[in-house]
Amino acid sequence: MINIDNMKIGNLEEEYEECKNKGTIKFKKEVQNELVKSLFNAAIEGKERSKENDLAYEKRSGNYGFIFVEQYDILRKLIDSFLLLSKISCDNHICSNAHLCMNHKELKFDWKTLEIIRKLRNNIQYKGIQIDEETWKSHKIKFEMYINSLIKILEKKLSDT
Protein backbone atom coordinates (compact mmCIF):
# COMPACT_ATOMS: atom_id res chain seq x y z
CA MET A 1 0.00 0.00 0.00
CA ILE A 2 1.02 3.60 -0.56
CA ASN A 3 1.62 5.96 2.33
CA ILE A 4 0.04 9.24 1.21
CA ASP A 5 1.69 11.14 4.05
CA ASN A 6 5.11 10.40 2.52
CA MET A 7 4.21 11.77 -0.92
CA LYS A 8 6.28 14.74 -1.92
CA ILE A 9 4.05 17.43 -3.40
CA GLY A 10 5.74 20.27 -5.25
CA ASN A 11 4.99 23.91 -4.58
CA LEU A 12 2.13 25.14 -6.80
CA GLU A 13 3.74 28.43 -7.81
CA GLU A 14 7.08 26.76 -8.61
CA GLU A 15 5.45 23.98 -10.63
CA TYR A 16 3.36 26.50 -12.57
CA GLU A 17 6.41 28.64 -13.39
CA GLU A 18 8.32 25.55 -14.52
CA CYS A 19 5.42 24.54 -16.78
CA LYS A 20 5.31 28.01 -18.32
CA ASN A 21 9.09 28.15 -18.75
CA LYS A 22 9.23 24.72 -20.41
CA GLY A 23 6.34 25.59 -22.72
CA THR A 24 4.15 22.71 -21.58
CA ILE A 25 1.20 25.07 -21.19
CA LYS A 26 0.01 25.91 -24.69
CA PHE A 27 -2.12 28.94 -25.49
CA LYS A 28 -4.49 28.30 -28.39
CA LYS A 29 -5.83 30.88 -30.84
CA GLU A 30 -9.32 29.45 -30.81
CA VAL A 31 -11.51 27.02 -28.92
CA GLN A 32 -11.53 23.49 -30.32
CA ASN A 33 -15.27 22.99 -29.85
CA GLU A 34 -15.48 19.47 -31.27
CA LEU A 35 -12.65 18.24 -29.05
CA VAL A 36 -14.22 19.89 -26.00
CA LYS A 37 -17.58 18.23 -26.71
CA SER A 38 -15.97 14.87 -27.43
CA LEU A 39 -13.99 14.87 -24.18
CA PHE A 40 -17.02 16.08 -22.22
CA ASN A 41 -19.29 13.40 -23.71
CA ALA A 42 -16.69 10.69 -23.04
CA ALA A 43 -16.48 11.84 -19.40
CA ILE A 44 -20.27 11.73 -19.02
CA GLU A 45 -20.40 8.24 -20.58
CA GLY A 46 -17.60 7.10 -18.27
CA LYS A 47 -19.43 8.45 -15.26
CA GLU A 48 -22.63 6.61 -16.21
CA ARG A 49 -20.76 3.37 -16.92
CA SER A 50 -18.85 3.49 -13.65
CA LYS A 51 -22.06 3.87 -11.66
CA GLU A 52 -23.35 0.61 -13.08
CA ASN A 53 -20.31 -1.63 -13.22
CA ASP A 54 -17.30 -0.85 -11.14
CA LEU A 55 -18.30 -0.87 -7.51
CA ALA A 56 -19.55 -4.46 -7.53
CA TYR A 57 -16.26 -5.62 -9.03
CA GLU A 58 -14.21 -3.55 -6.61
CA LYS A 59 -15.96 -5.03 -3.59
CA ARG A 60 -15.54 -8.58 -4.88
CA SER A 61 -11.86 -8.17 -5.77
CA GLY A 62 -10.80 -5.93 -2.88
CA ASN A 63 -8.78 -3.83 -5.34
CA TYR A 64 -10.18 -0.33 -5.68
CA GLY A 65 -7.51 0.75 -8.16
CA PHE A 66 -9.69 0.19 -11.21
CA ILE A 67 -12.43 2.54 -10.09
CA PHE A 68 -9.84 5.06 -8.86
CA VAL A 69 -8.18 5.14 -12.30
CA GLU A 70 -11.54 5.37 -14.03
CA GLN A 71 -12.64 8.30 -11.85
CA TYR A 72 -9.28 9.96 -12.47
CA ASP A 73 -9.75 9.54 -16.23
CA ILE A 74 -13.23 11.12 -16.04
CA LEU A 75 -11.83 14.05 -14.06
CA ARG A 76 -8.94 14.48 -16.52
CA LYS A 77 -11.30 14.66 -19.48
CA LEU A 78 -13.38 17.31 -17.70
CA ILE A 79 -10.32 19.36 -16.73
CA ASP A 80 -9.02 19.17 -20.29
CA SER A 81 -12.42 20.25 -21.62
CA PHE A 82 -12.51 23.17 -19.22
CA LEU A 83 -9.00 24.28 -20.13
CA LEU A 84 -9.66 23.91 -23.85
CA LEU A 85 -12.66 26.22 -23.49
CA SER A 86 -10.18 28.74 -22.05
CA LYS A 87 -7.94 28.17 -25.10
CA ILE A 88 -5.37 26.26 -23.04
CA SER A 89 -3.87 22.81 -23.49
CA CYS A 90 -1.12 21.21 -21.47
CA ASP A 91 1.38 18.49 -22.29
CA ASN A 92 0.99 16.76 -18.93
CA HIS A 93 -1.36 16.46 -16.00
CA ILE A 94 0.80 18.28 -13.48
CA CYS A 95 0.78 21.38 -15.69
CA SER A 96 -2.98 21.10 -16.26
CA ASN A 97 -3.47 20.94 -12.50
CA ALA A 98 -1.07 23.84 -11.91
CA HIS A 99 -2.74 26.03 -14.52
CA LEU A 100 -6.18 25.20 -13.16
CA CYS A 101 -5.23 25.98 -9.56
CA MET A 102 -3.33 29.16 -10.41
CA ASN A 103 -5.78 30.67 -12.87
CA HIS A 104 -9.18 29.36 -11.80
CA LYS A 105 -9.24 29.79 -8.04
CA GLU A 106 -13.01 30.23 -8.24
CA LEU A 107 -13.23 26.45 -8.71
CA LYS A 108 -11.65 25.90 -5.28
CA PHE A 109 -9.72 22.84 -6.44
CA ASP A 110 -7.02 21.92 -3.97
CA TRP A 111 -3.53 21.59 -5.46
CA LYS A 112 -2.40 19.00 -2.92
CA THR A 113 -5.49 16.85 -3.50
CA LEU A 114 -5.07 16.94 -7.27
CA GLU A 115 -1.41 16.01 -6.94
CA ILE A 116 -2.08 13.16 -4.53
CA ILE A 117 -4.69 11.61 -6.82
CA ARG A 118 -2.38 12.13 -9.83
CA LYS A 119 0.46 10.36 -8.05
CA LEU A 120 -1.80 7.58 -6.78
CA ARG A 121 -3.13 7.03 -10.28
CA ASN A 122 0.42 6.89 -11.68
CA ASN A 123 1.43 4.34 -9.03
CA ILE A 124 -1.60 2.22 -9.88
CA GLN A 125 -1.11 2.50 -13.64
CA TYR A 126 2.65 2.23 -13.94
CA LYS A 127 3.79 0.37 -10.82
CA GLY A 128 0.89 -2.01 -10.28
CA ILE A 129 0.21 -0.70 -6.79
CA GLN A 130 -3.17 -1.69 -5.39
CA ILE A 131 -5.26 0.54 -3.17
CA ASP A 132 -7.62 -0.60 -0.49
CA GLU A 133 -11.18 0.44 0.27
CA GLU A 134 -10.09 2.98 2.89
CA THR A 135 -7.80 4.79 0.42
CA TRP A 136 -10.55 4.78 -2.20
CA LYS A 137 -13.16 6.11 0.22
CA SER A 138 -10.84 8.90 1.37
CA HIS A 139 -10.69 10.21 -2.22
CA LYS A 140 -14.14 9.30 -3.52
CA ILE A 141 -15.83 12.43 -2.16
CA LYS A 142 -13.25 14.75 -3.76
CA PHE A 143 -13.64 12.97 -7.09
CA GLU A 144 -17.42 13.40 -6.87
CA MET A 145 -17.16 17.07 -5.90
CA TYR A 146 -14.66 17.95 -8.62
CA ILE A 147 -16.39 15.91 -11.33
CA ASN A 148 -19.88 17.21 -10.53
CA SER A 149 -18.64 20.79 -10.28
CA LEU A 150 -16.95 20.65 -13.68
CA ILE A 151 -19.95 18.95 -15.28
CA LYS A 152 -22.24 21.79 -14.16
CA ILE A 153 -19.82 24.46 -15.36
CA LEU A 154 -19.19 22.75 -18.68
CA GLU A 155 -22.87 22.07 -19.33
CA LYS A 156 -23.56 25.79 -18.90
CA LYS A 157 -20.59 26.86 -21.04
CA LEU A 158 -21.41 24.36 -23.77
CA SER A 159 -25.08 25.42 -23.87
CA ASP A 160 -23.94 29.02 -24.35
CA THR A 161 -21.89 28.16 -27.47
Side-chain angles (χ1 to χ4, degrees):
M1 290 298 141
I2 301 170
N3 185 348
I4 295 169
D5 296 330
N6 291 338
M7 283 188 179
K8 185 178 184 302
I9 305 298
N11 176 277
L12 171 59
E13 291 79 11
E14 291 172 8
E15 295 288 353
Y16 181 67
E17 284 304 314
E18 186 174 331
C19 290
K20 284 192 330 187
N21 293 338
K22 286 184 174 180
T24 54
I25 298 173
K26 311 269 194 255
F27 299 89
K28 303 292 185 183
K29 291 182 180 177
E30 57 188 46
V31 174
Q32 297 170 294
N33 283 316
E34 292 307 311
L35 179 56
V36 170
K37 289 175 186 172
S38 177
L39 288 169
F40 178 75
N41 289 334
I44 296 298
E45 290 168 8
K47 186 174 186 244
E48 291 302 313
R49 187 180 59 249
S50 71
K51 274 193 239 179
E52 298 168 10
N53 300 326
D54 291 337
L55 201 51
Y57 175 80
E58 306 301 333
K59 285 189 183 243
R60 278 194 320 272
S61 72
N63 178 8
Y64 289 77
F66 295 109
I67 195 167
F68 191 98
V69 169
E70 186 167 40
Q71 293 302 300
Y72 181 86
D73 188 49
I74 292 165
L75 180 61
R76 291 299 339 141
K77 285 179 173 89
L78 294 169
I79 289 172
D80 288 346
S81 295
F82 181 85
L83 292 177
L84 285 166
L85 280 174
S86 303
K87 300 179 187 172
I88 300 291
S89 71
C90 298
D91 290 343
N92 60 49
H93 297 176
I94 193 169
C95 293
S96 296
N97 292 344
H99 184 82
L100 192 74
C101 289
M102 285 295 293
N103 295 286
H104 296 283
K105 294 179 186 197
E106 74 278 7
L107 296 176
K108 298 183 175 145
F109 282 21
D110 179 63
W111 167 251
K112 184 177 179 183
T113 299
L114 288 174
E115 279 300 282
I116 287 171
I117 63 174
R118 181 184 70 80
K119 288 180 176 225
L120 279 171
R121 178 268 191 181
N122 287 349
N123 277 299
I124 294 165
Q125 283 288 96
Y126 305 123
K127 295 182 180 177
I129 301 296
Q130 293 188 1
I131 62 168
D132 58 14
E133 185 175 11
E134 182 181 324
T135 303
W136 162 242
K137 283 184 176 180
S138 71
H139 293 90
K140 180 182 178 189
I141 292 170
K142 281 292 186 184
F143 273 120
E144 288 173 355
M145 285 176 29
Y146 290 169
I147 287 169
N148 291 333
S149 172
L150 283 170
I151 287 173
K152 285 180 186 175
I153 292 165
L154 288 164
E155 282 176 336
K156 175 153 180 31
K157 286 183 180 258
L158 290 170
S159 72
D160 293 343
T161 59

